[in-house]
Amino acid sequence: MQYSASTTPLRSPYMSSSTSALHLRVDFVSEVAHCHINSPQHITRQVDTECALSELESELKCSVCKDFYDVPMSSKCQHTFCAECAKFDYNNKKTGLCCPTCGYSFTSFTQFYKNTLIEDLIKEYKSNRESIAHLYALGKQAEERECREEKEGSIKATNSNSNCNFNSSPFGGTTKSKCASEKSIHKNDNDGNGQKRKRTDDNDNKLLPLNKNIRTSNNQLCKKPKIAYGLMNEKKLKNLLKEEGLPAYGSKNEMIARHSYFINLYNSNVDATIPKSKGELLRDMKKWERAHQSNEAKDANLIKKTLTNSEEINSYVISPNKYRNQFAELIQQAKINKRRRETA
Amino acid sequence: MSNALFTKRLSKELVDLKINPPVGIEVTEADTFKSWKLTLDGVDGTLYAGERFTLEFRFSPNYPMESPEVVFTGNIPIHPHIYSNGHICLNVLYNQWSPVLSVRSVCLSIQSMLSSCTCKEPPPDNNHYVKTAKASPKQTQWSFHDDSV
Protein backbone atom coordinates (compact mmCIF):
# COMPACT_ATOMS: atom_id res chain seq x y z
CA MET A 1 0.00 0.00 0.00
CA GLN A 2 1.07 3.51 -0.69
CA TYR A 3 -0.25 4.94 2.50
CA SER A 4 2.97 4.95 4.39
CA ALA A 5 4.43 7.12 1.69
CA SER A 6 1.49 9.45 1.69
CA THR A 7 1.95 10.49 5.29
CA THR A 8 5.31 12.01 4.51
CA PRO A 9 4.02 15.14 2.73
CA LEU A 10 3.14 16.34 6.19
CA ARG A 11 6.73 17.41 6.57
CA SER A 12 6.29 19.81 3.71
CA PRO A 13 7.56 23.36 4.24
CA TYR A 14 4.05 24.77 3.66
CA MET A 15 2.73 23.15 6.77
CA SER A 16 5.19 23.92 9.47
CA SER A 17 4.20 27.55 9.91
CA SER A 18 0.45 27.69 10.44
CA THR A 19 -1.50 26.25 13.33
CA SER A 20 -4.44 25.22 11.22
CA ALA A 21 -2.07 23.03 9.31
CA LEU A 22 -1.20 21.26 12.55
CA HIS A 23 -4.81 20.55 13.15
CA LEU A 24 -5.05 19.24 9.65
CA ARG A 25 -2.15 16.93 10.20
CA VAL A 26 -4.07 15.15 12.94
CA ASP A 27 -7.14 15.02 10.79
CA PHE A 28 -5.31 13.56 7.86
CA VAL A 29 -3.33 11.01 9.84
CA SER A 30 -6.42 9.80 11.62
CA GLU A 31 -8.15 9.33 8.32
CA VAL A 32 -5.29 7.26 7.04
CA ALA A 33 -4.98 5.40 10.32
CA HIS A 34 -8.53 4.17 9.89
CA CYS A 35 -7.38 2.04 7.06
CA HIS A 36 -4.20 0.85 8.71
CA ILE A 37 -5.05 -0.30 12.17
CA ASN A 38 -8.11 -2.35 11.42
CA SER A 39 -8.07 -5.86 10.04
CA PRO A 40 -8.18 -6.24 6.25
CA GLN A 41 -11.83 -7.24 6.34
CA HIS A 42 -12.55 -4.20 8.40
CA ILE A 43 -10.85 -2.03 5.86
CA THR A 44 -13.07 -3.12 3.03
CA ARG A 45 -16.16 -2.56 5.11
CA GLN A 46 -14.91 0.80 6.25
CA VAL A 47 -14.07 1.77 2.72
CA ASP A 48 -17.42 0.49 1.53
CA THR A 49 -19.43 2.65 3.86
CA GLU A 50 -17.07 5.52 3.26
CA CYS A 51 -17.68 5.22 -0.44
CA ALA A 52 -21.43 4.99 -0.12
CA LEU A 53 -21.58 7.87 2.29
CA SER A 54 -19.21 9.82 0.13
CA GLU A 55 -21.86 9.78 -2.55
CA LEU A 56 -24.18 11.46 -0.11
CA GLU A 57 -21.46 13.62 1.32
CA SER A 58 -20.28 14.85 -2.03
CA GLU A 59 -23.58 16.69 -2.26
CA LEU A 60 -22.80 18.45 0.99
CA LYS A 61 -19.22 19.31 0.16
CA CYS A 62 -17.78 22.37 -1.43
CA SER A 63 -16.20 21.56 -4.76
CA VAL A 64 -13.36 24.01 -4.17
CA CYS A 65 -12.07 22.88 -0.76
CA LYS A 66 -13.65 19.38 -0.94
CA ASP A 67 -14.86 19.72 2.62
CA PHE A 68 -18.28 20.25 4.17
CA TYR A 69 -19.63 23.70 3.40
CA ASP A 70 -18.54 26.28 5.91
CA VAL A 71 -21.12 29.04 5.63
CA PRO A 72 -22.60 27.88 2.31
CA MET A 73 -23.21 30.64 -0.19
CA SER A 74 -25.30 29.96 -3.27
CA SER A 75 -25.28 31.84 -6.49
CA LYS A 76 -27.90 32.55 -9.08
CA CYS A 77 -26.59 29.66 -11.16
CA GLN A 78 -27.48 27.18 -8.40
CA HIS A 79 -23.92 26.41 -7.38
CA THR A 80 -22.84 26.59 -3.78
CA PHE A 81 -19.44 27.31 -2.23
CA CYS A 82 -18.11 28.10 1.20
CA ALA A 83 -18.08 31.79 1.91
CA GLU A 84 -14.32 31.62 2.01
CA CYS A 85 -13.96 29.64 -1.20
CA ALA A 86 -16.39 31.86 -3.03
CA LYS A 87 -13.82 34.64 -2.83
CA PHE A 88 -11.90 32.89 -5.56
CA ASP A 89 -9.21 35.16 -6.81
CA TYR A 90 -7.86 32.92 -9.51
CA ASN A 91 -6.42 35.28 -12.03
CA ASN A 92 -6.44 33.26 -15.20
CA LYS A 93 -9.91 34.35 -16.20
CA LYS A 94 -10.11 37.33 -18.45
CA THR A 95 -13.75 38.05 -17.80
CA GLY A 96 -13.54 38.87 -14.12
CA LEU A 97 -15.78 36.99 -11.73
CA CYS A 98 -17.42 33.80 -12.78
CA CYS A 99 -18.75 30.63 -11.23
CA PRO A 100 -16.00 27.97 -11.12
CA THR A 101 -18.48 25.24 -11.93
CA CYS A 102 -20.45 26.61 -14.83
CA GLY A 103 -18.75 29.84 -15.79
CA TYR A 104 -21.77 32.02 -15.06
CA SER A 105 -20.40 35.52 -14.67
CA PHE A 106 -21.21 37.87 -11.84
CA THR A 107 -20.86 41.54 -11.33
CA SER A 108 -20.21 41.33 -7.60
CA PHE A 109 -20.15 38.99 -4.63
CA THR A 110 -23.38 40.47 -3.37
CA GLN A 111 -25.05 38.18 -5.84
CA PHE A 112 -24.20 35.29 -3.55
CA TYR A 113 -26.66 34.65 -0.78
CA LYS A 114 -26.38 32.45 2.26
CA ASN A 115 -28.00 29.04 1.93
CA THR A 116 -29.30 28.24 5.39
CA LEU A 117 -31.00 25.08 4.20
CA ILE A 118 -27.70 23.47 3.31
CA GLU A 119 -26.14 24.72 6.51
CA ASP A 120 -28.86 23.08 8.58
CA LEU A 121 -28.62 19.90 6.56
CA ILE A 122 -24.90 19.68 7.22
CA LYS A 123 -25.37 20.32 10.91
CA GLU A 124 -27.97 17.59 11.10
CA TYR A 125 -25.92 15.21 9.00
CA LYS A 126 -22.75 15.74 11.00
CA SER A 127 -24.46 15.03 14.29
CA ASN A 128 -26.08 11.87 12.91
CA ARG A 129 -23.30 10.62 10.72
CA GLU A 130 -22.58 7.59 12.90
CA SER A 131 -26.14 6.36 12.92
CA ILE A 132 -26.52 6.97 9.20
CA ALA A 133 -23.42 4.88 8.54
CA HIS A 134 -24.74 2.20 10.89
CA LEU A 135 -28.11 2.13 9.15
CA TYR A 136 -26.39 1.95 5.85
CA ALA A 137 -24.29 -1.02 6.96
CA LEU A 138 -27.42 -2.77 8.22
CA GLY A 139 -29.18 -2.14 4.93
CA LYS A 140 -26.23 -3.48 3.04
CA GLN A 141 -26.13 -6.63 5.16
CA ALA A 142 -29.84 -7.22 4.62
CA GLU A 143 -29.32 -6.73 0.92
CA GLU A 144 -26.47 -9.22 0.85
CA ARG A 145 -28.52 -11.74 2.78
CA GLU A 146 -31.38 -11.35 0.36
CA CYS A 147 -29.01 -11.80 -2.52
CA ARG A 148 -27.63 -14.95 -1.03
CA GLU A 149 -31.07 -16.38 -0.37
CA GLU A 150 -32.19 -15.57 -3.84
CA LYS A 151 -29.06 -17.13 -5.21
CA GLU A 152 -29.63 -20.34 -3.30
CA GLY A 153 -33.31 -20.41 -4.08
CA SER A 154 -33.29 -19.91 -7.79
CA ILE A 155 -31.79 -22.15 -10.42
CA LYS A 156 -30.52 -19.27 -12.51
CA ALA A 157 -28.09 -18.26 -9.90
CA THR A 158 -25.99 -16.06 -12.09
CA ASN A 159 -28.90 -14.04 -13.42
CA SER A 160 -30.42 -13.31 -10.07
CA ASN A 161 -27.13 -12.09 -8.73
CA SER A 162 -26.75 -9.50 -11.40
CA ASN A 163 -30.33 -8.35 -11.02
CA CYS A 164 -30.78 -8.12 -7.31
CA ASN A 165 -27.91 -5.75 -6.91
CA PHE A 166 -30.00 -3.11 -8.56
CA ASN A 167 -33.47 -4.03 -7.39
CA SER A 168 -33.36 -4.73 -3.72
CA SER A 169 -31.03 -2.06 -2.54
CA PRO A 170 -32.71 0.21 -0.03
CA PHE A 171 -30.16 2.92 -0.65
CA GLY A 172 -30.38 3.26 -4.38
CA GLY A 173 -27.04 2.99 -6.04
CA THR A 174 -24.88 1.26 -3.50
CA THR A 175 -23.11 -0.82 -6.08
CA LYS A 176 -22.58 2.24 -8.17
CA SER A 177 -20.65 4.27 -5.69
CA LYS A 178 -17.70 4.33 -7.98
CA CYS A 179 -19.77 5.66 -10.82
CA ALA A 180 -21.11 8.25 -8.47
CA SER A 181 -17.77 9.69 -7.62
CA GLU A 182 -16.98 9.71 -11.28
CA LYS A 183 -20.22 11.57 -11.76
CA SER A 184 -18.89 14.59 -10.00
CA ILE A 185 -16.21 14.66 -12.61
CA HIS A 186 -18.84 14.62 -15.32
CA LYS A 187 -20.00 17.83 -13.85
CA ASN A 188 -16.54 19.26 -13.64
CA ASP A 189 -15.23 18.28 -17.00
CA ASN A 190 -15.22 21.56 -18.80
CA ASP A 191 -14.02 20.27 -22.10
CA GLY A 192 -16.79 17.72 -22.33
CA ASN A 193 -14.43 14.79 -22.29
CA GLY A 194 -16.48 13.22 -19.60
CA GLN A 195 -19.32 12.66 -21.99
CA LYS A 196 -17.37 9.87 -23.53
CA ARG A 197 -17.92 7.73 -20.50
CA LYS A 198 -21.21 5.95 -20.55
CA ARG A 199 -23.77 7.06 -18.05
CA THR A 200 -24.64 3.85 -16.32
CA ASP A 201 -26.58 5.56 -13.62
CA ASP A 202 -29.23 7.32 -15.60
CA ASN A 203 -31.91 5.93 -13.36
CA ASP A 204 -30.28 7.34 -10.31
CA ASN A 205 -32.51 9.88 -8.66
CA LYS A 206 -29.56 11.96 -7.67
CA LEU A 207 -29.01 12.88 -11.26
CA LEU A 208 -32.27 14.74 -11.34
CA PRO A 209 -31.10 17.97 -9.77
CA LEU A 210 -28.23 17.96 -12.22
CA ASN A 211 -30.57 17.60 -15.16
CA LYS A 212 -32.71 20.30 -13.75
CA ASN A 213 -29.81 22.70 -13.70
CA ILE A 214 -29.05 21.96 -17.28
CA ARG A 215 -32.63 22.40 -18.25
CA THR A 216 -33.16 25.70 -16.54
CA SER A 217 -30.01 27.16 -17.95
CA ASN A 218 -30.59 25.99 -21.50
CA ASN A 219 -34.32 26.22 -21.70
CA GLN A 220 -36.00 29.22 -23.19
CA LEU A 221 -38.80 29.27 -20.60
CA CYS A 222 -38.81 32.68 -18.97
CA LYS A 223 -40.82 33.98 -16.10
CA LYS A 224 -43.56 36.46 -16.87
CA PRO A 225 -43.47 39.78 -15.07
CA LYS A 226 -46.10 40.84 -12.57
CA ILE A 227 -48.57 43.37 -13.93
CA ALA A 228 -49.87 46.50 -12.27
CA TYR A 229 -53.55 45.78 -12.82
CA GLY A 230 -54.58 49.07 -11.27
CA LEU A 231 -53.30 50.90 -14.34
CA MET A 232 -55.34 48.81 -16.77
CA ASN A 233 -58.77 49.31 -18.19
CA GLU A 234 -61.04 46.41 -19.04
CA LYS A 235 -60.12 46.39 -22.69
CA LYS A 236 -56.43 45.99 -21.94
CA LEU A 237 -57.17 43.27 -19.43
CA LYS A 238 -59.24 41.41 -21.98
CA ASN A 239 -56.40 41.62 -24.48
CA LEU A 240 -53.98 40.30 -21.89
CA LEU A 241 -56.21 37.34 -21.16
CA LYS A 242 -56.71 36.64 -24.84
CA GLU A 243 -52.95 36.67 -25.39
CA GLU A 244 -52.61 33.85 -22.89
CA GLY A 245 -55.56 32.00 -24.38
CA LEU A 246 -57.70 32.54 -21.31
CA PRO A 247 -61.44 33.32 -21.27
CA ALA A 248 -62.04 37.07 -21.17
CA TYR A 249 -65.36 37.50 -19.44
CA GLY A 250 -66.59 38.53 -16.03
CA SER A 251 -66.02 41.60 -13.96
CA LYS A 252 -62.71 43.38 -13.81
CA ASN A 253 -61.85 41.79 -10.47
CA GLU A 254 -62.60 38.33 -11.79
CA MET A 255 -60.38 38.92 -14.79
CA ILE A 256 -57.58 40.20 -12.57
CA ALA A 257 -57.89 37.16 -10.32
CA ARG A 258 -57.81 34.85 -13.32
CA HIS A 259 -54.81 36.50 -14.88
CA SER A 260 -52.77 36.72 -11.69
CA TYR A 261 -53.53 33.08 -10.90
CA PHE A 262 -52.33 32.11 -14.35
CA ILE A 263 -49.13 34.12 -14.00
CA ASN A 264 -48.43 32.46 -10.69
CA LEU A 265 -49.09 29.02 -12.19
CA TYR A 266 -46.92 29.77 -15.18
CA ASN A 267 -44.00 31.12 -13.18
CA SER A 268 -43.98 28.21 -10.75
CA ASN A 269 -44.03 25.88 -13.74
CA VAL A 270 -40.85 27.49 -15.05
CA ASP A 271 -39.03 26.28 -11.93
CA ALA A 272 -40.45 22.76 -12.11
CA THR A 273 -38.14 19.82 -12.80
CA ILE A 274 -40.40 18.59 -15.57
CA PRO A 275 -42.31 21.63 -16.84
CA LYS A 276 -45.84 21.11 -18.07
CA SER A 277 -46.95 22.17 -21.53
CA LYS A 278 -49.09 25.25 -21.96
CA GLY A 279 -52.09 23.09 -22.80
CA GLU A 280 -51.81 21.37 -19.45
CA LEU A 281 -51.57 24.73 -17.74
CA LEU A 282 -54.72 25.91 -19.47
CA ARG A 283 -56.48 22.74 -18.36
CA ASP A 284 -55.37 23.49 -14.81
CA MET A 285 -56.79 26.97 -15.27
CA LYS A 286 -60.17 25.53 -16.28
CA LYS A 287 -60.19 23.36 -13.18
CA TRP A 288 -59.39 26.39 -11.09
CA GLU A 289 -62.15 28.34 -12.79
CA ARG A 290 -64.70 25.67 -11.97
CA ALA A 291 -63.48 25.29 -8.42
CA HIS A 292 -63.46 29.04 -8.05
CA GLN A 293 -67.05 29.40 -9.16
CA SER A 294 -68.32 26.63 -6.96
CA ASN A 295 -66.20 28.02 -4.18
CA GLU A 296 -67.90 31.35 -4.53
CA ALA A 297 -71.28 29.69 -4.16
CA LYS A 298 -70.02 27.64 -1.22
CA ASP A 299 -68.49 30.68 0.36
CA ALA A 300 -71.75 32.53 0.13
CA ASN A 301 -73.53 29.64 1.85
CA LEU A 302 -70.86 29.40 4.49
CA ILE A 303 -71.04 33.07 5.23
CA LYS A 304 -74.84 32.88 5.55
CA LYS A 305 -74.51 29.96 7.92
CA THR A 306 -71.95 31.61 10.12
CA LEU A 307 -74.05 34.73 10.17
CA THR A 308 -77.18 32.90 11.33
CA ASN A 309 -75.13 30.93 13.84
CA SER A 310 -73.70 34.05 15.29
CA GLU A 311 -77.19 35.49 15.57
CA GLU A 312 -78.23 32.52 17.66
CA ILE A 313 -75.17 32.84 19.84
CA ASN A 314 -75.78 36.52 20.24
CA SER A 315 -79.36 35.87 21.21
CA TYR A 316 -78.17 33.64 24.05
CA VAL A 317 -75.75 36.18 25.30
CA ILE A 318 -77.51 39.42 24.74
CA SER A 319 -81.07 38.49 25.68
CA PRO A 320 -80.95 36.18 28.69
CA ASN A 321 -84.42 37.49 29.58
CA LYS A 322 -85.86 35.21 26.97
CA TYR A 323 -85.06 32.15 29.07
CA ARG A 324 -85.54 33.74 32.48
CA ASN A 325 -88.63 31.71 33.29
CA GLN A 326 -86.98 28.43 32.39
CA PHE A 327 -83.98 29.28 34.54
CA ALA A 328 -86.19 30.16 37.47
CA GLU A 329 -88.02 26.83 37.16
CA LEU A 330 -84.76 24.91 37.12
CA ILE A 331 -83.50 26.75 40.18
CA GLN A 332 -86.65 25.99 42.09
CA GLN A 333 -86.46 22.32 41.19
CA ALA A 334 -82.87 22.17 42.35
CA LYS A 335 -83.82 23.78 45.65
CA ILE A 336 -86.65 21.27 46.18
CA ASN A 337 -84.30 18.40 45.47
CA LYS A 338 -81.79 19.76 47.93
CA ARG A 339 -84.36 20.08 50.67
CA ARG A 340 -85.57 16.54 50.09
CA ARG A 341 -82.07 15.20 50.40
CA GLU A 342 -81.53 17.10 53.66
CA THR A 343 -84.74 15.82 55.27
CA ALA A 344 -83.98 12.25 54.22
CA MET B 1 -5.46 31.53 4.30
CA SER B 2 -4.74 30.02 0.97
CA ASN B 3 -2.11 27.89 2.69
CA ALA B 4 -4.72 26.18 4.81
CA LEU B 5 -6.97 25.63 1.84
CA PHE B 6 -4.06 24.36 -0.23
CA THR B 7 -2.94 21.65 2.20
CA LYS B 8 -6.44 20.67 3.22
CA ARG B 9 -7.56 20.33 -0.33
CA LEU B 10 -4.51 18.35 -1.47
CA SER B 11 -4.64 15.93 1.44
CA LYS B 12 -8.30 15.31 0.73
CA GLU B 13 -7.55 14.66 -2.89
CA LEU B 14 -4.74 12.29 -2.00
CA VAL B 15 -6.90 10.27 0.36
CA ASP B 16 -9.61 10.14 -2.26
CA LEU B 17 -7.19 8.98 -4.96
CA LYS B 18 -5.86 6.25 -2.66
CA ILE B 19 -9.17 4.96 -1.40
CA ASN B 20 -11.09 5.20 -4.60
CA PRO B 21 -8.63 5.34 -7.49
CA PRO B 22 -9.93 5.89 -11.02
CA VAL B 23 -9.28 3.09 -13.51
CA GLY B 24 -5.73 3.15 -14.86
CA ILE B 25 -4.53 5.97 -12.62
CA GLU B 26 -2.27 5.47 -9.63
CA VAL B 27 -0.36 7.81 -7.36
CA THR B 28 3.22 6.64 -7.20
CA GLU B 29 4.99 9.48 -5.50
CA ALA B 30 3.43 12.03 -3.18
CA ASP B 31 6.08 12.89 -0.66
CA THR B 32 5.44 16.59 -0.56
CA PHE B 33 2.63 18.94 -1.37
CA LYS B 34 4.91 20.51 -3.99
CA SER B 35 4.85 17.80 -6.59
CA TRP B 36 3.25 14.44 -7.16
CA LYS B 37 3.84 11.71 -9.68
CA LEU B 38 1.05 9.60 -11.08
CA THR B 39 1.06 6.77 -13.56
CA LEU B 40 -1.46 6.74 -16.33
CA ASP B 41 -2.26 3.53 -18.19
CA GLY B 42 -3.36 3.62 -21.81
CA VAL B 43 -6.98 2.51 -22.07
CA ASP B 44 -7.60 -0.88 -23.69
CA GLY B 45 -8.91 -0.63 -27.22
CA THR B 46 -7.12 2.65 -27.95
CA LEU B 47 -3.81 3.45 -29.65
CA TYR B 48 -2.08 3.62 -26.26
CA ALA B 49 -3.33 0.30 -24.87
CA GLY B 50 -0.73 -1.43 -22.71
CA GLU B 51 1.48 1.66 -22.40
CA ARG B 52 2.18 3.34 -19.10
CA PHE B 53 3.07 7.01 -18.75
CA THR B 54 4.11 9.13 -15.82
CA LEU B 55 2.53 12.49 -15.13
CA GLU B 56 4.10 15.05 -12.88
CA PHE B 57 1.93 17.55 -11.05
CA ARG B 58 3.59 20.61 -9.53
CA PHE B 59 1.44 22.67 -7.19
CA SER B 60 1.85 26.26 -6.19
CA PRO B 61 0.64 27.40 -2.76
CA ASN B 62 -2.24 29.10 -4.56
CA TYR B 63 -3.69 25.80 -5.67
CA PRO B 64 -6.64 25.28 -6.28
CA MET B 65 -7.12 28.89 -7.27
CA GLU B 66 -4.23 28.50 -9.67
CA SER B 67 -3.80 25.55 -11.99
CA PRO B 68 -1.10 22.97 -11.28
CA GLU B 69 1.77 22.49 -13.71
CA VAL B 70 1.22 19.16 -15.40
CA VAL B 71 3.84 17.53 -17.62
CA PHE B 72 4.69 14.04 -18.78
CA THR B 73 8.04 12.70 -17.62
CA GLY B 74 10.07 9.73 -18.77
CA ASN B 75 8.18 7.88 -21.46
CA ILE B 76 6.28 10.60 -23.31
CA PRO B 77 3.28 9.61 -25.43
CA ILE B 78 3.31 10.57 -29.09
CA HIS B 79 0.19 12.62 -29.53
CA PRO B 80 -0.77 15.69 -31.61
CA HIS B 81 -1.25 17.73 -28.42
CA ILE B 82 1.71 16.50 -26.40
CA TYR B 83 5.17 17.93 -27.11
CA SER B 84 8.22 15.75 -26.84
CA ASN B 85 9.42 17.68 -23.77
CA GLY B 86 6.30 16.50 -21.94
CA HIS B 87 4.27 19.70 -22.21
CA ILE B 88 0.57 19.15 -22.75
CA CYS B 89 -1.68 21.42 -24.78
CA LEU B 90 -4.93 21.19 -22.85
CA ASN B 91 -7.11 24.20 -22.08
CA VAL B 92 -8.19 23.08 -18.59
CA LEU B 93 -4.56 23.26 -17.51
CA TYR B 94 -4.21 26.89 -18.50
CA ASN B 95 -6.89 29.46 -19.20
CA GLN B 96 -9.87 27.17 -18.61
CA TRP B 97 -8.71 26.06 -15.18
CA SER B 98 -11.30 26.34 -12.46
CA PRO B 99 -10.93 25.60 -8.74
CA VAL B 100 -13.55 22.88 -8.93
CA LEU B 101 -11.23 20.82 -11.09
CA SER B 102 -8.92 18.37 -9.32
CA VAL B 103 -5.98 16.07 -9.92
CA ARG B 104 -8.47 13.33 -10.61
CA SER B 105 -10.41 15.29 -13.20
CA VAL B 106 -7.22 16.49 -14.91
CA CYS B 107 -5.99 12.89 -15.14
CA LEU B 108 -9.29 11.78 -16.58
CA SER B 109 -9.18 14.62 -19.11
CA ILE B 110 -5.71 13.59 -20.21
CA GLN B 111 -6.71 9.95 -20.32
CA SER B 112 -9.66 10.84 -22.48
CA MET B 113 -7.50 13.03 -24.69
CA LEU B 114 -5.18 10.08 -25.27
CA SER B 115 -8.08 7.72 -25.86
CA SER B 116 -9.68 9.88 -28.51
CA CYS B 117 -6.48 10.08 -30.56
CA THR B 118 -6.78 8.62 -34.04
CA CYS B 119 -3.20 8.78 -35.24
CA LYS B 120 0.02 8.81 -33.28
CA GLU B 121 2.03 11.78 -34.47
CA PRO B 122 3.81 14.64 -32.71
CA PRO B 123 2.45 18.21 -32.90
CA PRO B 124 3.33 19.97 -36.18
CA ASP B 125 5.45 22.65 -34.46
CA ASN B 126 7.14 20.22 -32.08
CA ASN B 127 10.78 20.88 -32.99
CA HIS B 128 10.44 24.65 -32.79
CA TYR B 129 8.51 24.58 -29.54
CA VAL B 130 10.85 22.19 -27.78
CA LYS B 131 13.82 24.41 -28.66
CA THR B 132 12.22 27.64 -27.44
CA ALA B 133 9.96 26.51 -24.59
CA LYS B 134 10.61 27.50 -20.99
CA ALA B 135 10.78 24.87 -18.26
CA SER B 136 7.26 25.54 -17.09
CA PRO B 137 4.45 25.02 -19.60
CA LYS B 138 2.49 27.74 -17.82
CA GLN B 139 4.83 30.35 -19.28
CA THR B 140 3.81 29.40 -22.79
CA GLN B 141 1.10 31.34 -24.56
CA TRP B 142 -1.17 28.54 -25.68
CA SER B 143 -3.76 28.84 -28.36
CA PHE B 144 -6.44 26.19 -28.30
CA HIS B 145 -7.98 25.25 -31.58
CA ASP B 146 -8.94 21.60 -31.55
CA ASP B 147 -12.38 21.14 -30.00
CA SER B 148 -12.66 17.52 -31.00
CA VAL B 149 -10.78 16.11 -28.02
Side-chain angles (χ1 to χ4, degrees):
Chain A
M1 287 260 282
Q2 289 293 326
Y3 273 108
S4 47
S6 68
T7 50
T8 32
L10 306 167
R11 265 174 252 123
S12 119
Y14 296 117
M15 304 209 61
S16 48
S17 54
S18 82
T19 47
S20 58
L22 271 175
H23 165 74
L24 185 131
R25 176 185 306 195
V26 175
D27 193 34
F28 179 54
V29 169
S30 69
E31 245 179 284
V32 174
H34 262 324
C35 309
H36 257 318
I37 297 162
N38 298 323
S39 66
Q41 216 177 12
H42 230 96
I43 293 174
T44 49
R45 193 168 298 163
Q46 179 90 29
V47 168
D48 251 16
T49 43
E50 289 276 306
C51 282
L53 286 178
S54 73
E55 189 183 339
L56 173 67
E57 282 175 6
S58 69
E59 306 289 325
L60 297 176
K61 281 180 173 174
C62 170
S63 46
V64 173
C65 63
K66 312 275 181 207
D67 204 351
F68 286 114
Y69 289 113
D70 179 27
V71 193
M73 303 289 278
S74 294
S75 67
K76 220 178 164 184
C77 57
Q78 301 272 305
H79 295 114
T80 309
F81 306 96
C82 307
E84 210 177 280
C85 301
K87 307 276 181 278
F88 21 82
D89 55 348
Y90 53 106
N91 47 13
N92 51 357
K93 294 264 155 114
K94 282 169 193 154
T95 48
L97 288 170
C98 53
C99 170
T101 307
C102 67
Y104 181 92
S105 61
F106 303 101
T107 46
S108 86
F109 283 113
T110 53
Q111 285 175 321
F112 276 83
Y113 57 92
K114 193 177 168 190
N115 199 329
T116 43
L117 173 69
I118 293 181
E119 196 173 37
D120 292 347
L121 265 175
I122 289 171
K123 212 171 121 196
E124 194 61 27
Y125 176 77
K126 272 184 175 170
S127 54
N128 292 316
R129 193 172 184 271
E130 289 282 297
S131 40
I132 291 171
H134 180 65
L135 272 177
Y136 173 76
L138 282 181
K140 182 115 187 170
Q141 276 171 17
E143 183 196 333
E144 272 168 15
R145 209 168 34 237
E146 250 172 64
C147 275
R148 222 176 301 131
E149 277 164 16
E150 234 172 88
K151 217 178 188 176
E152 284 161 6
S154 71
I155 309 156
K156 297 173 197 166
T158 46
N159 283 347
S160 77
N161 187 29
S162 59
N163 288 337
C164 68
N165 269 341
F166 289 91
N167 292 335
S168 59
S169 152
F171 286 86
T174 51
T175 49
K176 297 176 272 178
S177 53
K178 226 171 188 174
C179 306
S181 55
E182 234 90 295
K183 197 171 66 193
S184 61
I185 291 140
H186 273 306
K187 272 189 266 184
N188 297 345
D189 242 345
N190 272 355
D191 52 359
N193 284 339
Q195 284 168 3
K196 291 198 76 181
R197 256 164 283 122
K198 222 181 165 186
R199 291 200 172 187
T200 49
D201 43 7
D202 263 341
N203 297 327
D204 202 332
N205 286 337
K206 280 205 164 176
L207 263 178
L208 272 178
L210 192 81
N211 287 341
K212 177 184 143 194
N213 288 351
I214 292 164
R215 200 197 313 277
T216 45
S217 57
N218 290 343
N219 215 347
Q220 294 307 309
L221 275 180
C222 289
K223 291 199 181 183
K224 298 195 181 218
K226 288 231 163 97
I227 287 162
Y229 296 107
L231 298 172
M232 296 223 158
N233 56 23
E234 282 198 23
K235 203 178 167 192
K236 274 190 182 170
L237 259 175
K238 277 185 182 170
N239 282 340
L240 262 181
L241 287 168
K242 273 177 196 160
E243 261 173 43
E244 305 292 357
L246 296 170
Y249 58 81
S251 69
K252 196 177 171 187
N253 280 342
E254 275 172 8
M255 286 195 284
I256 289 174
R258 190 180 299 139
H259 192 261
S260 62
Y261 183 80
F262 177 75
I263 295 288
N264 189 25
L265 202 69
Y266 185 90
N267 286 350
S268 56
N269 185 46
V270 171
D271 287 331
T273 314
I274 304 156
K276 293 179 188 167
S277 69
K278 191 153 181 189
E280 276 177 283
L281 285 185
L282 289 178
R283 233 168 288 145
D284 284 352
M285 274 308 285
K286 265 184 197 159
K287 259 186 226 163
W288 173 80
E289 198 94 31
R290 238 174 286 138
H292 199 65
Q293 277 167 0
S294 57
N295 265 357
E296 262 174 13
K298 267 185 207 163
D299 281 355
N301 273 336
L302 208 75
I303 288 166
K304 253 185 216 165
K305 254 188 201 168
T306 47
L307 277 178
T308 48
N309 274 345
S310 65
E311 266 169 25
E312 274 172 32
I313 292 163
N314 284 344
S315 67
Y316 280 119
V317 177
I318 295 166
S319 56
N321 292 340
K322 201 176 169 184
Y323 299 100
R324 175 169 287 197
N325 294 338
Q326 279 147 319
F327 277 129
E329 250 172 55
L330 284 170
I331 290 166
Q332 264 192 341
Q333 265 187 1
K335 275 180 184 171
I336 291 165
N337 283 342
K338 204 183 172 190
R339 240 175 270 152
R340 261 186 212 160
R341 237 177 278 146
E342 276 170 11
T343 51
Chain B
M1 230 32 188
S2 70
N3 238 359
L5 175 60
F6 161 70
T7 46
K8 188 168 88 172
R9 160 82 187 242
L10 276 181
S11 51
K12 290 225 179 263
E13 280 194 43
L14 191 59
V15 169
D16 182 46
L17 281 171
K18 297 284 191 188
I19 289 181
N20 190 9
V23 181
I25 292 162
E26 197 191 350
V27 185
T28 50
E29 205 181 299
D31 295 343
T32 64
F33 283 142
K34 267 183 168 174
S35 89
W36 293 356
K37 279 191 176 144
L38 290 93
T39 56
L40 190 76
D41 292 333
V43 181
D44 288 341
T46 67
L47 291 178
Y48 301 92
E51 290 184 72
R52 172 169 280 202
F53 308 106
T54 309
L55 272 174
E56 191 179 345
F57 280 72
R58 288 191 285 260
F59 305 101
S60 80
N62 275 335
Y63 181 82
M65 298 309 168
E66 219 173 77
S67 66
E69 263 179 54
V70 186
V71 291
F72 276 105
T73 58
N75 175 24
I76 289 157
I78 299 162
H79 185 279
H81 298 308
I82 298 166
Y83 291 92
S84 57
N85 59 355
H87 290 193
I88 305 160
C89 178
L90 183 66
N91 59 357
V92 291
L93 292 177
Y94 311 105
N95 66 350
Q96 287 292 307
W97 170 258
S98 145
V100 300
L101 297 174
S102 60
V103 172
R104 173 191 286 265
S105 62
V106 166
C107 284
L108 287 172
S109 295
I110 292 172
Q111 203 177 36
S112 137
M113 184 174 104
L114 289 179
S115 304
S116 66
C117 175
T118 49
C119 92
K120 270 183 165 181
E121 58 178 23
D125 55 342
N126 187 41
N127 289 338
H128 176 72
Y129 177 77
V130 172
K131 261 183 233 161
T132 55
K134 310 226 165 58
S136 162
K138 287 176 83 175
Q139 284 164 329
T140 309
Q141 283 292 325
W142 298 96
S143 68
F144 306 99
H145 48 87
D146 188 356
D147 292 331
S148 65
V149 288

